[in-house]
Amino acid sequence: MNYQQIKQLDDEYGAKTFARYPVAIERGQGAELYDTEGKRYIDFGAGIAVNIFGANDEEWKQAVIAQLNKIQHVSNLYYNEAQAKLSELICTKAGARRVFFSNSGAEANECAFKAARKYSYLKYGAGRNKIVALKNSFHGRTLFTLTATGQDAFHRYYDPFVGGVAIAGCDLESVKKAAGRDCCAVVIECVQGESGVTELPAAFVKALSEFCRENDILLIVDEVQTGLGRTGKFFAYEHYGVAPDLVTTAKGIAGGLPLGACLFYEKTQDVYAPGDHGSTFGGNPVACAGSHSILSRITEEFLLEVQGKSAYMRAKLKGFDGVAGVTGLGLMIGLDLKEKTAKQVAQDCLQKGLLVLTAHERLRIVPPLNLTKTQMDEGLSILKEVLK
């Protein structure tokens, strides 16, 4: 099918929930994608930080095919090898005690929020159930996670929202005021991606971690976009030297297949019992097999390469005309623009063969983590030309 045929079908039958760019991606290899008309693009978006090893990754593909040749789905009423092996791998890499697999980042956060409330209920009884999130955060589109998203634009139309959630500023006094005496957890993103790729101040995160520890308030770190090597560490919280009680992740975990994970650490490892939570498709063996092939390659050597690529790209970007500032961590990069809007720059880049993302008024760059220097230079050259 060509672009117009695809667009016509989507316009007629698709729910109008996405503002799409005028292109239909058909295939790709690594950080290079091709549309239905054969045009080539350098990918600085990775499916919104999902394809961390790019498109059509051979090792991932073989792992998925091998599992498909066995069985495509197993109910969670039974054990399956792919899920068990992935549980061991991700817990070992993350230093976690247990993991629950879901289908998305929003579901992973939902799992963490419920776990925090149960932990507090078992220890302190009813009423200590408030979850504090930060202004400009984004945690998902279920009603619970949307309630905990600190952006007013997402709170239109859908009230009443879930009770027992408060939004605080990114400073300790604001968190303390919002928490009060009935708080069970605080949830943060070390880099707030959807609202502008803004990293939290290190002093604030350290102080918040200490406050949570002293008051037996669980610290939940949402690593849906920042996790799995994106910032040059396995998880972004490692840059801050803190120890969370629950960590959620998704996006890059399974090479493009739907999978999310909620990781439980010492305090929370035994909070759930059979029947407390569940998922039909969570921990699907095909997704888990694909994920194992991805996570097994996120080594210390690989993370050092990500750090090197980040330093190279950031140094180049800081010298571009039209760039007022560079934010974020690792290969999760935000650009403050001087004149052009982020949307206009993204559209102009698309015309010239570069895919980039926006995050409110900022440009967002989250490429495959294994892109080459040649691909970096080609993409940066296009962006430089557009920004002139």
Side-chain angles (χ1 to χ4, degrees):
M1 297 175 70
N2 62 33
Y3 165 72
Q4 288 298 336
Q5 291 170 324
I6 294 169
K7 182 179 184 301
Q8 183 177 348
L9 286 178
D10 187 76
D11 288 346
E12 185 171 356
Y13 297 108
K16 296 181 179 180
T17 53
F18 302 105
R20 303 188 195 273
Y21 290 99
V23 62
I25 300 299
E26 183 176 59
R27 58 189 173 87
Q29 186 67 52
E32 299 177 19
L33 304 180
Y34 295 84
D35 66 19
T36 50
E37 316 310 308
K39 182 177 177 180
R40 174 178 169 274
Y41 302 85
I42 297 295
D43 183 14
F44 275 11
I48 313 183
V50 168
N51 300 329
I52 60 176
F53 281 91
N56 202 23
D57 177 72
E58 189 62 30
E59 185 171 331
W60 170 85
K61 191 164 57 175
Q62 291 306 316
V64 169
I65 292 170
Q67 180 58 51
L68 280 171
N69 285 331
K70 296 177 181 178
I71 190 169
Q72 81 279 15
H73 172 73
V74 177
S75 163
N76 280 313
L77 294 173
Y78 313 103
Y79 297 99
N80 80 75
E81 180 183 0
Q83 186 182 126
K85 289 173 69 175
L86 181 61
S87 297
E88 178 189 30
L89 179 62
I90 193 169
C91 284
T92 301
K93 282 184 171 290
R97 300 295 180 89
R98 300 186 186 279
V99 61
F100 175 86
F101 292 115
S102 59
N103 307 287
S104 66
E107 290 176 69
N109 283 329
E110 191 94 8
C111 175
F113 295 169
K114 286 175 62 178
R117 284 188 168 175
K118 188 183 178 193
Y119 169 87
S120 189
Y121 186 96
L122 292 176
K123 195 167 183 179
Y124 300 101
R128 190 180 183 271
N129 53 29
K130 186 188 294 179
I131 292 172
V132 175
L134 300 183
K135 185 179 179 182
N136 293 322
S137 61
F138 183 87
H139 297 294
R141 294 182 184 272
T142 66
L143 273 179
F144 202 166
T145 57
L146 198 64
T147 307
T149 289
Q151 300 183 58
D152 291 341
F154 290 101
H155 293 162
R156 296 175 294 176
Y157 314 126
Y158 306 119
D159 57 311
F161 290 96
V162 178
V165 177
I167 304 297
C170 295
D171 65 271
L172 188 60
E173 289 308 309
S174 181
V175 171
K176 287 180 178 179
K177 184 177 178 180
R181 295 184 177 183
D182 59 347
C183 180
C184 66
V186 177
V187 57
I188 65 171
E189 303 158 280
C190 292
V191 183
Q192 295 181 321
E194 297 298 326
S195 62
V197 197
T198 306
E199 64 272 28
L200 295 182
F204 165 61
V205 175
K206 281 274 195 181
L208 174 64
S209 176
E210 185 66 17
F211 167 73
C212 289
R213 187 187 64 80
E214 290 173 352
N215 293 277
D216 197 20
I217 294 170
L218 299 183
L219 179 61
I220 304 171
V221 180
D222 178 339
E223 297 266 4
V224 170
Q225 188 169 170
T226 56
L228 312 173
R230 173 59 55 189
T231 69
K233 298 284 189 181
F234 192 73
F235 283 130
Y237 74 78
E238 296 174 53
H239 292 282
Y240 293 81
V242 297
D245 301 297
L246 292 157
V247 170
T248 60
T249 193
K251 287 193 181 291
I253 193 172
L257 294 176
L259 188 68
C262 178
L263 292 157
F264 301 82
Y265 292 77
E266 185 174 1
K267 272 188 181 182
T268 58
Q269 62 179 315
D270 295 320
V271 70
Y272 276 142
D276 284 342
H277 199 56
S279 172
T280 296
F281 294 109
N284 170 272
V286 177
C288 286
S291 178
H292 197 283
S293 80
I294 297 292
L295 300 192
S296 63
R297 287 179 280 165
I298 304 177
T299 62
E300 287 301 317
E301 181 182 10
F302 179 77
L303 292 172
L304 287 173
E305 291 175 3
V306 173
Q307 293 170 25
K309 292 172 185 178
S310 169
Y312 179 80
M313 289 189 75
R314 287 168 185 276
K316 293 278 190 179
L317 289 164
K318 287 176 182 177
F320 283 7
D321 291 339
V323 173
V326 181
T327 63
L329 291 172
L331 286 177
M332 185 174 177
I333 300 171
L335 297 183
D336 273 322
L337 303 178
K338 292 179 180 177
E339 296 176 2
K340 293 184 178 181
T341 67
K343 187 72 172 178
Q344 185 60 58
V345 170
Q347 290 171 340
D348 291 347
C349 284
L350 182 72
Q351 293 297 317
K352 294 181 179 294
L354 174 66
L355 303 182
V356 294
L357 307 174
T358 62
H360 286 247
E361 73 279 2
R362 285 188 178 142
L363 208 65
R364 178 169 36 161
I365 296 174
V366 283
L369 303 184
N370 65 338
L371 83 168
T372 66
K373 183 177 181 297
T374 299
Q375 292 163 343
M376 282 192 288
D377 285 340
E378 185 177 352
L380 289 170
S381 177
I382 294 171
L383 182 57
K384 184 178 183 179
E385 181 183 350
V386 168
L387 287 172
K388 261 189 175 179

